[in-house]
Amino acid sequence: MTRTAPLDIDAFRRDLGDIPVEDNPKLVLQKSRDFYWYSPVLKRQLDHVTADLVVTPRTIDDVVTTLASAHRHGVPVTPRGAGTGNYGQAMPLSGGAVLNLAGLTKVVASSPMTVRAEAGAILARIDEETRAAHGAEMRFHPSTYRTATIGGFVAGGSGGVGSIRWGGLRNFGNIISLKVVTCEASPRILDIEGTDILKVAHAYGTNGIIVEAEVPLTAGYDWVDVLAGFDTIEDAVRFARNVALQDGMLLKEIAPIAAPVPHDYFVRHQKFIRKDQSVVVMMAAPQAMAALSIFLAHEKGEMLYRSDAASEEDLKRLPPAYELAWNHTTLRGLKVDPSITYLQTQYPDLETLKKIIALLGDEMPMHNEMIRFDGRVVFSGLPIVRFSTEERLEEIIRIHEDNGCLVFNPHRYTLEEGGMKRSDPGQLAFKREADPKGILNPGKMIAWENPDFDFASGKAWLFSGLQSAGAD
Amino acid sequence: MTRTAPLDIDAFRRDLGDIPVEDNPKLVLQKSRDFYWYSPVLKRQLDHVTADLVVTPRTIDDVVTTLASAHRHGVPVTPRGAGTGNYGQAMPLSGGAVLNLAGLTKVVASSPMTVRAEAGAILARIDEETRAAHGAEMRFHPSTYRTATIGGFVAGGSGGVGSIRWGGLRNFGNIISLKVVTCEASPRILDIEGTDILKVAHAYGTNGIIVEAEVPLTAGYDWVDVLAGFDTIEDAVRFARNVALQDGMLLKEIAPIAAPVPHDYFVRHQKFIRKDQSVVVMMAAPQAMAALSIFLAHEKGEMLYRSDAASEEDLKRLPPAYELAWNHTTLRGLKVDPSITYLQTQYPDLETLKKIIALLGDEMPMHNEMIRFDGRVVFSGLPIVRFSTEERLEEIIRIHEDNGCLVFNPHRYTLEEGGMKRSDPGQLAFKREADPKGILNPGKMIAWENPDFDFASGKAWLFSGLQSAGAD
């Protein structure tokens, strides 16, 4: 899809009627960004990316009107929640319109079992409502809980805090249904359920615009934030694995992080942490705290901080534990040392993990997130990488792969290269139906743009239409 | 401990004051029994066992008075909840007093996080209260949910419905605290927390009388009963394993049971089941039903019954799914064919399980309970055994052990032989403190009665004081 004629943005805009539109270039640039700059590779590739304008629908009908107009005039449309993704998920590679869904914020319905909310509803706000109404909360959330939207999480995320109990969004049963608007002459509003959910979830909005999501709830608690200290990262990961296997102790988050990351990057928690201490960040149900503190002592860990025993002052001053974990670990690192970056990995067992730790040492301070993956506790990884060159980064990835570890490359902006490195026929087929002109979030699905791309080539795919694509 | 003098039951009784006592031999015999008769071995050994009288305390103070008197007069005391155990846990091998705790029924305190109840509170009644107050319920219960007491469950049980999510009672965090009365000249009332819990829980009341238990709660749901049909037991166990590994689908119970057991023994469900069908009995959260029915179809299972689509008439007529599972499977079998018995086993993986199924065929129709065991999904087993001789039963046990499968022998009345086949130094040490005269539930702890017993001998231990023991 190469731009053959200048986009008729004016005609597109005229057909939007009174739907709010922003075209101030500075503001449009702001809303054309996410946290792609965690990656020096994506920073180089995507830094110039911006939309022509931002459309902010107030209702689902506004979304329908916008997509009809986009289809009519061939204007690319890239949906955006809060822009908290890390791989350019919400960045408009071909310009056109950013569809800012942050205006759709309603919690549509809830029960003790499930909640249905509009795409732009912020995760923490949804939980506030369901906790007040039912003592229940969603199963998981990213570390950007306080800003991220449910639509963005479902379209661009994979799991997070809670994944130690519930696996990932991709696991059957973790999304109940989605309401999706297609990009056609007369856009349809589809209620997607069952296995069809997997075609639309985590597709970056390339094959339909998610406007509502229904997800299951679980018991809500005042989770206790815990930092536990260990002399070595090996001790920390062993403890993290052991505590993750304790079926009777309800934890929502378990993240072992190697020294000196906790001391150096968790600035507001610094007084609790020695520089040479590796830390396991946890969130525990209040009724698990007695067992957890005994188990921790038994495993020779040190209780550095627990929010249920913290001073009023510390409670006011400190960010919640989940804002030390997942991609927030990297974010805190980047604030202290802008030269670092990170990887997304998975280690099958403790022995392999220890081998990688020994091989890469302080060039890659380890950061794991304990998760359930198809019913088994595994070490997911978000290690910090002290970045030198893109070549060395590729080498570190190869070292992982050579040792049987999965890498979900966060330095790629396509669905396939950041994921399982193969195309998803279900997602592709659904794009053919829902986005026949291929104007939804162009450049993110290789299977659509370049069906013959060889994922085994070892080369990154480059979207030829990057910032110059248009309607055909 | 051999009876050296006739028990001074009259003196014991005099010291009880107005605490209710029953000595009608028929009624005493009734309250001296549990479901030991599932086992032809225990039936032979224990059929004559009866107490001299039954004491029914109304308060914890009454328990203290009873134990002080028992200690003074050397009268054995065997605690009892609802008598739903299967290995003579509550049977008074040396006569004396049965301590009937069914009178202590109060729910002492509850929050959305935990509940504390007196020992004799019935499990289903506790959940009724916590569901009404907090929308929360206990993590697990045995199939005798509607009759068993929390004290009996903690003292004599190991897990059950809910173990697929929460492991077993032995797992740290699944019991918060216990209140225990010692058997001394001046009985103490101890609050037991932390690791000490393991000394008293699942000790059959040999080292202290549990009078209160505090356990964690989780979200309560109107669980949907599901029966899924498969052409072979191999298909059923594969499905059961696969669905147990689905992190996003909240199930509380998963039990594959080989044909013809479901058709032949689940009499009230018979119209739903073909004789040659193996069945997986499940309890699913309502919000998991959509995913579960799709997953079941995908795995080529047949939805035979789901309570959320059942007729009013069927709902009234049919027992809940959990009363088809765990030891209720055996109970239903015994009602149809009194010659059967059962085993308690554990299979490390699908391959080993299939091997045992192939080896024993219809002599041992397989019945598994999917559970989490130290963080891993495993096949626990409660297979039906078409009993011929005690020698053949031992042979079947050896076949298991030779193939690397654990057997928790339900044909033994001692803690050690029904469990890990070794003594528990913590339980023993606590008995020395809490029951210096050794009159609590005599004959159940080999470590106390016969410290030199060789568990590797391959021989069953026989309590020499069975029905003739007294105070020393």
Side-chain angles (χ1 to χ4, degrees), chain B residues 268-343:
Chain B
R268 285 195 271 170
H269 288 83
Q270 204 168 57
K271 70 170 179 180
F272 302 111
I273 309 167
R274 289 198 323 266
K275 189 170 174 79
D276 64 347
Q277 252 173 344
S278 291
V279 166
V280 179
V281 175
M282 288 174 278
M283 289 166 62
Q287 67 271 33
M289 282 306 295
L292 177 59
S293 48
I294 292 168
F295 190 74
L296 178 62
H298 176 261
E299 297 250 330
K300 314 265 184 267
E302 188 182 333
M303 183 72 79
L304 304 178
Y305 172 77
R306 50 187 288 178
S307 61
D308 61 350
S311 68
E312 276 302 312
E313 193 191 356
D314 275 341
L315 285 177
K316 247 181 254 168
R317 189 177 62 81
L318 296 170
Y322 59 78
E323 290 184 359
L324 303 176
W326 293 91
N327 276 322
H328 262 75
T329 314
T330 321
L331 179 60
R332 288 182 190 282
L334 283 161
K335 282 184 186 169
V336 173
D337 178 358
S339 73
I340 63 155
T341 187
Y342 74 121
L343 276 179

Side-chain angles (χ1 to χ4, degrees), chain B residues 40 76 104 121 183 216 286-287 317 320 338 382 394 411 443:
Chain B
L104 300 179
C183 188
Q287 67 271 33
R317 189 177 62 81
L382 284 163
E394 288 299 318
H411 305 284

Side-chain angles (χ1 to χ4, degrees), chain B residues 355-404:
Chain B
K355 187 174 172 194
I356 296 286
I357 289 171
L359 277 170
L360 292 168
D362 190 59
E363 184 184 5
M364 192 187 79
M366 186 51 74
H367 163 201
N368 295 114
E369 295 285 344
M370 306 309 301
I371 62 166
R372 282 199 188 278
F373 191 81
D374 295 345
R376 293 173 183 92
V377 169
V378 300
F379 297 89
S380 140
L382 284 163
I384 299 284
V385 176
R386 302 198 191 274
F387 183 71
S388 51
T389 64
E390 291 187 21
E391 291 66 37
R392 178 57 184 167
L393 190 59
E394 288 299 318
E395 219 167 274
I396 292 174
I397 290 175
R398 261 200 312 283
I399 290 171
H400 277 81
E401 291 173 342
D402 290 349
N403 282 283

Side-chain angles (χ1 to χ4, degrees), chain A residues 332-364:
Chain A
R332 288 182 190 282
L334 283 161
K335 283 184 185 169
V336 173
D337 178 358
S339 74
I340 63 155
T341 188
Y342 75 121
L343 276 179
Q344 290 183 167
T345 53
Q346 190 168 303
Y347 306 92
D349 52 48
L350 190 57
E351 291 58 47
T352 312
L353 173 60
K354 284 184 178 174
K355 187 175 174 194
I356 295 287
I357 289 171
L359 277 169
L360 293 167
D362 191 58
E363 184 184 5
M364 192 187 79

Side-chain angles (χ1 to χ4, degrees), chain A residues 269-281:
Chain A
H269 287 84
Q270 204 167 58
K271 70 170 181 181
F272 302 111
I273 308 168
R274 290 198 323 265
K275 189 169 174 78
D276 64 348
Q277 253 173 343
S278 291
V279 166
V280 179
V281 175

Side-chain angles (χ1 to χ4, degrees), chain A residues 3-200:
Chain A
R3 183 177 292 193
T4 50
L7 287 177
D8 194 349
I9 292 289
D10 290 341
F12 166 68
R13 193 170 171 165
R14 258 193 316 275
D15 287 355
L16 298 183
D18 66 347
I19 300 172
V21 169
E22 178 60 64
D23 60 5
N24 175 323
K26 273 198 184 159
L27 298 177
V28 172
L29 184 67
Q30 266 179 25
K31 288 274 187 277
S32 299
R33 265 136 179 57
D34 62 10
F35 289 88
Y36 72 105
W37 50 268
Y38 279 29
S39 160
V41 182
L42 296 183
K43 183 156 174 57
R44 173 174 61 72
Q45 293 178 325
L46 305 183
D47 218 28
H48 65 291
V49 164
T50 191
D52 296 286
L53 78 182
V54 178
V55 182
T56 304
R58 301 150 300 183
T59 61
I60 294 176
D61 281 349
D62 280 358
V63 175
V64 169
T65 303
T66 306
L67 293 178
S69 176
H71 182 270
R72 194 172 308 128
H73 302 291
V75 172
V77 170
T78 299
R80 174 190 172 88
T84 57
N86 294 93
Y87 336 115
Q89 291 104 310
M91 292 180 71
L93 302 193
S94 301
V98 160
L99 186 67
N100 174 24
L101 292 157
L104 300 179
T105 61
K106 268 206 299 281
V107 175
V108 179
S110 75
S111 76
M113 261 115 49
T114 68
V115 64
R116 168 180 283 274
E118 289 184 335
I122 291 170
L123 294 165
R125 288 275 298 105
I126 298 172
D127 271 357
E128 265 173 41
E129 285 204 31
T130 55
R131 275 204 207 98
H134 314 292
E137 64 187 28
M138 286 180 288
R139 290 176 171 179
F140 28 50
H141 62 75
S143 66
T144 50
Y145 186 44
R146 299 201 282 186
T147 51
T149 65
I150 189 165
F153 185 41
V154 163
S158 57
V161 178
S163 285
I164 183 54
R165 203 80 197 157
W166 299 103
L169 280 169
R170 72 184 185 86
N171 284 118
F172 212 43
N174 280 330
I175 301 172
I176 309 270
S177 69
L178 298 173
K179 197 184 280 294
V180 170
V181 182
T182 64
C183 189
E184 303 172 274
S186 297
R188 290 169 293 159
I189 303 175
L190 305 176
D191 283 305
I192 309 270
E193 295 180 338
T195 49
D196 289 345
I197 289 169
L198 297 176
K199 301 177 185 171
V200 193

